[in-house]
Amino acid sequence: MDTADLRINPDRLRADFDDLSAIGATAEGGVTRLALSNEDLEARAWFANRIEDAGLVLRDDAIGNTSGILVMTQSAADPSFLVGSHLDSSLNSGRFDGAVGICAGLECLRTIREAGLRLPVNLEVISFTDQEGAWQSMLGSRGLTGRLGDLTAHRDAETIGAFRAALFRTGIIVNDLHEMYQAARPPEQVAGYLELHIEQGSRLYRSGKRLASVDGVVGRTTYLITFLGEASHSGTTDFDMRRDALRGAAAFITEAHDTIYLDFPGGMFNCGKIKVEPGVFNTIPAKAAVLCEVRHADEATLMTMEQHLLALAGRYAGRYNLDVQDKRVQHMPAAEMSPRIMQAISDACAGLCLPSPEVLTSYAGHDAQILAPFTETGMIFIPSINGISHNPNEDSRWEDVVLGANVLLHALIRAAGGSL
Ligand SMILES: [Zn+2]
């Protein structure tokens, strides 16, 4: 058969997808497979079996990434081109997030193996540990790329102990968490990375297009901004005498949404958690700790947004006679996808007689953003119906999953140096 006519087997893809969807299935029709939980372990065991059934070489590393290698060279230890996503999910999430990339990656390798195609580099389908951050966001991809940082920073002994116990259950025996750093691979061992994923937003779905090539993933910074006032009796303290920390926080949050929306096109802001102390209905709040995040595709603009927010917090603290403290909790830099891999995705579409892909920036975090500074990386999106994700109602049209898997197949062959 001509390689250009190569297609994945949609029935086999569907069977895998349905099997995986049943692991951690929830009553609402979604899945819960928190990283390192029993459900995640079951999914890992299932994946390992599928890898061996497919005739691939099973591999795992010091941080629990699970992969299957299709050996094209002398040895499975030679560099490989990675394709994959994650088996874990967030709480009561959807069946497609991560699972599409895993099942499609596996199916691509099976298809290539059956066709007897030879490529200059090994292919490796990989599931990264804890993409969703049940313990630490994108733990597996950060481990593989040597960007683990300090695993114990901002964590108490109890949390670290629980983390170690959870790792132990997966078979990762870490007397010292630092053994996980051994998962790091030298860059020359990785030939590239491709990921198929649902968009998790509604832009592609609304556009009517069926496929997008991602040009970058937004950078994201999380801040803990704490407004400090003074507790006092809510009945006897006059309004003009109050130092109400929550009032300052509330004004800041409202204004932050408005200013990011109006003054920073392409920017995002969210405040998802507030902790108020003492948290008593008839006491003026003395402390309001606001956990918020900003996102932008451009690193410099993201920096400007951060400065703007901190200035805003200072302004509202002044207005309500409060003190304010800020802590930059986490920063994920913006990442750009490789032009060469994006070209491979476009060429794959052309080769399959499909329209050229939409080009989108991802506003959700992905392992691809961790891989991007490390190796040539590309990402393919298929539409999420109504943009719903991290929800049991998350859905994609099955024909789009199959289309995405075929584009993944052809893009992978091209990116890994094969000819079509
Ligand atoms: Zn995902």
Side-chain angles (χ1 to χ4, degrees):
M1 186 171 71
D2 189 347
T3 311
D5 295 330
L6 208 58
R7 299 289 184 277
I8 59 106
N9 179 334
D11 297 334
R12 205 164 48 182
L13 178 65
R14 181 83 223 194
D16 277 350
F17 182 78
D18 288 345
D19 281 353
L20 182 53
S21 298
I23 301 174
T26 60
E28 294 91 336
V31 293
T32 297
R33 285 194 301 266
L34 301 179
L36 312 181
S37 68
N38 286 343
E39 294 76 18
D40 184 34
L41 297 197
E42 196 183 332
R44 285 160 182 267
W46 170 83
F47 187 47
N49 283 333
R50 302 310 290 138
I51 285 169
E52 292 194 321
D53 289 348
L56 308 176
V57 177
L58 184 64
R59 171 179 185 169
D60 58 10
D61 65 17
I63 206 152
N65 297 319
T66 307
S67 50
I69 302 167
L70 176 55
V71 181
M72 291 282 177
T73 60
Q74 299 296 314
S75 153
D78 286 337
S80 54
F81 194 104
L82 305 176
V83 56
S85 197
H86 56 97
L87 287 164
D88 71 309
S89 82
S90 53
L91 194 66
N92 202 14
S93 193
R95 295 170 298 146
F96 292 80
D97 182 354
V100 162
I102 292 291
C103 295
L106 176 65
E107 179 54 28
C108 286
L109 265 55
R110 276 192 299 230
T111 305
I112 291 169
R113 182 171 182 267
E114 286 168 358
L117 202 65
R118 301 310 304 173
L119 293 169
V121 66
N122 292 336
L123 300 180
E124 180 174 347
V125 56
I126 186 162
S127 171
F128 290 111
T129 297
D130 201 11
Q131 190 278 336
E132 298 287 1
W135 297 95
Q136 297 210 10
S137 285
M138 297 185 267
L139 184 71
S141 51
R142 288 193 291 121
L144 186 141
T145 56
R147 292 174 62 200
L148 221 39
D150 182 359
L151 283 170
T152 56
H154 314 304
R155 283 172 179 83
D156 55 32
E158 197 180 332
T159 310
I160 292 166
F163 183 37
R164 186 179 289 140
L167 288 166
F168 185 81
R169 278 154 32 87
T170 69
I172 307 170
I173 300 165
V174 273
N175 299 316
D176 176 343
L177 285 183
H178 291 86
E179 285 175 27
M180 293 165 75
Y181 292 91
Q182 290 167 8
R185 296 192 199 182
E188 61 273 15
Q189 279 293 311
V190 180
Y193 177 60
L194 247 177
E195 180 166 358
L196 171 67
H197 205 279
I198 54 168
E199 189 208 337
Q200 304 183 277
S202 62
R203 289 171 298 165
L204 197 50
Y205 184 70
R206 282 183 284 137
S207 78
K209 287 212 174 193
R210 298 179 63 192
L211 193 118
S213 176
V214 175
D215 62 354
V217 181
V218 291
R220 175 168 60 104
T221 307
T222 310
Y223 271 98
L224 181 67
I225 300 180
T226 307
F227 293 86
L228 298 161
E230 191 171 32
S232 62
H233 193 292
S234 65
T236 61
T237 315
D238 288 344
F239 273 116
D240 60 354
M241 297 297 287
R242 295 182 183 195
R243 297 182 63 219
D244 183 339
L246 182 56
R247 200 166 170 216
F252 161 75
I253 292 165
T254 305
E255 176 70 21
H257 279 89
D258 290 345
T259 191
I260 298 298
Y261 177 62
L262 294 171
D263 301 336
F264 295 93
M268 287 289 172
F269 173 79
N270 182 54
C271 168
K273 189 173 178 182
I274 306 179
K275 192 170 171 217
V276 179
E277 290 177 24
V280 177
F281 77 97
N282 56 2
T283 300
I284 310 287
K287 181 174 169 184
V290 172
L291 196 61
C292 58
E293 59 149 39
V294 279
R295 298 180 189 225
H296 202 282
D298 179 63
E299 199 64 22
T301 310
L302 182 60
M303 227 64 103
T304 312
M305 284 164 66
E306 290 179 37
Q307 285 156 9
H308 202 83
L309 284 177
L310 298 183
L312 199 64
R315 202 150 71 236
Y316 279 105
R319 182 173 303 176
Y320 294 101
N321 197 20
L322 307 169
D323 293 316
V324 67
Q325 297 168 345
D326 61 75
K327 188 165 102 183
R328 200 175 194 235
V329 179
Q330 197 189 33
H331 175 66
M332 288 279 188
E336 286 176 26
M337 296 299 118
S338 149
R340 188 179 77 82
I341 310 282
M342 288 183 72
Q343 189 61 50
I345 295 168
S346 293
D347 291 346
C349 289
L352 290 163
C353 301
L354 297 168
S356 57
E358 185 85 6
V359 175
L360 285 181
T361 301
S362 174
Y363 276 80
H366 295 288
D367 293 307
Q369 96 190 75
I370 305 297
L371 272 292
F374 179 78
T375 188
E376 287 190 304
T377 297
M379 218 179 162
I380 299 166
F381 275 167
I382 55 165
S384 296
I385 295 175
N386 294 317
I388 295 168
S389 186
H390 281 196
N391 181 313
N393 294 321
E394 175 184 282
D395 204 2
S396 288
R397 282 183 296 250
W398 184 252
E399 56 268 34
D400 290 343
V401 176
V402 173
L403 181 98
N406 276 316
V407 173
L408 182 71
L409 173 70
H410 285 246
L412 175 64
I413 294 170
R414 288 169 189 274
S419 54
L420 281 166

